[in-house]
Amino acid sequence: MPPKSLRISLIACALALAPAALAQQAEPAAPDRRALETVHFASLDGKTDLTAYLGRHPGDAPRRAVVLMHGCSGLLDGQGRIFRIYRAWMRALFGQGYDVLTVDSAASRGFGQTCTAGPDRATMWRDRPKDAYAALGYLQAQPSVQADRIALMGWSQGGGVVLLSINDRSIGRPAALSHDFKAAVSFYPGACSDALQSKPWTEVEPQGWTTRLPLLVLFGEADVWTPLPPCDAFLSAAKTRGNPVELKTYPAAVHGFDAPGLPRTELPAYRNGNGPIPVIGTDKDARADAFPRVLEFLKLHLQSN
């Protein structure tokens, strides 16, 4: 488990989409109650009762499934509605036949946004990998889910949580695990660098991050909130060491490029010192590529033996 100083050293990490900008594009949490249910299960942190939203197909035939991890703005807006970026992916994945479990790590802990520095943000980095594996265990206990065909996806803070979760020295993976996640997808992940994915923040040796899970990372080259260069260097080194990592970048895209209908917006409240002002916004070309790319990636790895 990372030490308390994690809250200081991760200040520079951009963690997710800003709640104020996303609130204007939120929609009802469950427009189709036939396909979405609220479920609860215990985080492996030993103290949090997690709330999650499950898109479950009817029938008993075992299905493949995907766990979704939100960014630092949380899953819900002030009116309790799921942000459209997550709704869009929930629908896309559900439409491909996957059961979809979307975990609310923030509201379950009584947190609002954790984009700004503080103890809540440190808690999220430390404990959310345990949420990811609690979600995996919950799905594996469902008779309608194929226990060995479950993927993990995350955005920004949630994307960084994916990286912390799937490595061979994971800070969230339980010791006794019959089947791990089958594949993982990470959008513009925070904490995506060798320095922040190794000791003292994790149990990984420097230049030793290793995963057996196929990983797809999608990143905007114009992202100034979670900048690409340290992530590119980290992933390139991991790939050179033989890790099954794929990085797809988009030249003009900024943070949140896959959100639907989000105008480019500056977020001075989340500026780090004298660094650049974070910018979020939809990139139509990147978004048009990302959806089929991710769905094809999941099809390839969740349907393979």
Side-chain angles (χ1 to χ4, degrees):
M1 181 180 295
K4 291 182 179 179
S5 53
L6 174 65
R7 69 187 64 177
I8 298 174
S9 294
L10 289 180
I11 287 175
C13 290
L15 303 179
L17 306 178
L22 284 174
Q24 63 183 327
Q25 54 147 16
E27 62 183 31
D32 184 358
R33 291 290 182 182
R34 296 170 301 174
L36 192 65
E37 47 188 290
T38 303
V39 300
H40 299 273
F41 50 90
S43 171
L44 299 184
D45 70 1
K47 56 189 176 183
T48 304
D49 179 38
L50 292 168
T51 298
Y53 301 91
L54 177 62
R56 189 200 307 265
H57 288 81
D60 298 326
R63 292 182 176 272
R64 300 166 182 87
V66 185
V67 172
L68 306 187
M69 306 295 288
H70 61 74
C72 74
S73 59
L75 182 65
L76 310 176
D77 72 357
Q79 287 71 49
R81 300 172 296 186
I82 294 178
F83 292 122
R84 282 183 63 199
I85 187 171
Y86 308 121
R87 292 299 302 170
W89 280 106
M90 292 163 75
R91 288 195 181 102
L93 293 163
F94 190 83
Q96 294 295 307
Y98 301 111
D99 282 1
V100 184
L101 182 64
T102 306
V103 182
D104 190 343
S105 294
S108 298
R109 291 180 168 86
F111 295 168
Q113 63 84 13
T114 54
C115 304
T116 50
D120 291 354
R121 190 169 83 172
T123 296
M124 293 288 267
W125 280 114
R126 183 190 66 218
D127 290 348
R128 292 192 72 194
K130 300 177 182 70
D131 295 357
Y133 275 98
L136 176 66
Y138 175 85
L139 286 175
Q140 289 175 333
Q142 308 305 308
S144 60
V145 173
Q146 290 182 260
D148 61 345
R149 294 292 186 272
I150 301 172
L152 178 65
M153 287 180 62
W155 289 259
S156 201
Q157 185 188 87
V161 168
V162 168
L163 302 180
L164 291 169
S165 299
I166 68 171
N167 70 78
D168 65 349
R169 303 296 300 276
S170 171
I171 60 175
R173 183 184 294 117
L177 188 66
S178 298
H179 300 288
D180 204 342
F181 288 107
K182 185 69 172 176
V185 178
S186 178
F187 281 87
Y188 30 87
C192 185
S193 69
D194 187 69
L196 294 173
Q197 289 291 328
S198 61
K199 291 181 176 179
W201 320 121
T202 75
E203 297 301 317
V204 177
E205 295 293 338
Q207 293 294 317
W209 188 92
T210 301
T211 183
R212 67 173 182 80
L213 276 65
L215 170 67
L216 173 63
V217 177
L218 302 98
F219 226 115
E221 295 180 22
D223 194 329
V224 296
W225 200 355
T226 54
L228 174 61
C231 189
D232 188 7
F234 167 68
L235 295 174
S236 295
K239 188 172 183 178
T240 298
R241 294 193 299 271
N243 288 275
V245 173
E246 176 185 350
L247 173 64
K248 173 60 180 176
T249 65
Y250 302 100
V254 297
H255 209 75
F257 62 78
D258 55 317
L262 179 63
R264 289 210 175 192
T265 306
E266 291 189 346
L267 304 170
Y270 298 109
R271 186 180 187 182
N272 180 49
N274 294 322
I277 296 174
V279 178
I280 60 174
T282 303
D283 185 291
K284 292 182 179 179
D285 292 338
R287 188 173 191 271
D289 178 86
F291 272 77
R293 182 178 297 273
V294 168
L295 295 177
E296 184 60 30
F297 175 83
L298 293 176
K299 179 180 178 181
L300 173 65
H301 294 292
L302 292 187
Q303 293 184 4
S304 63
N305 293 323

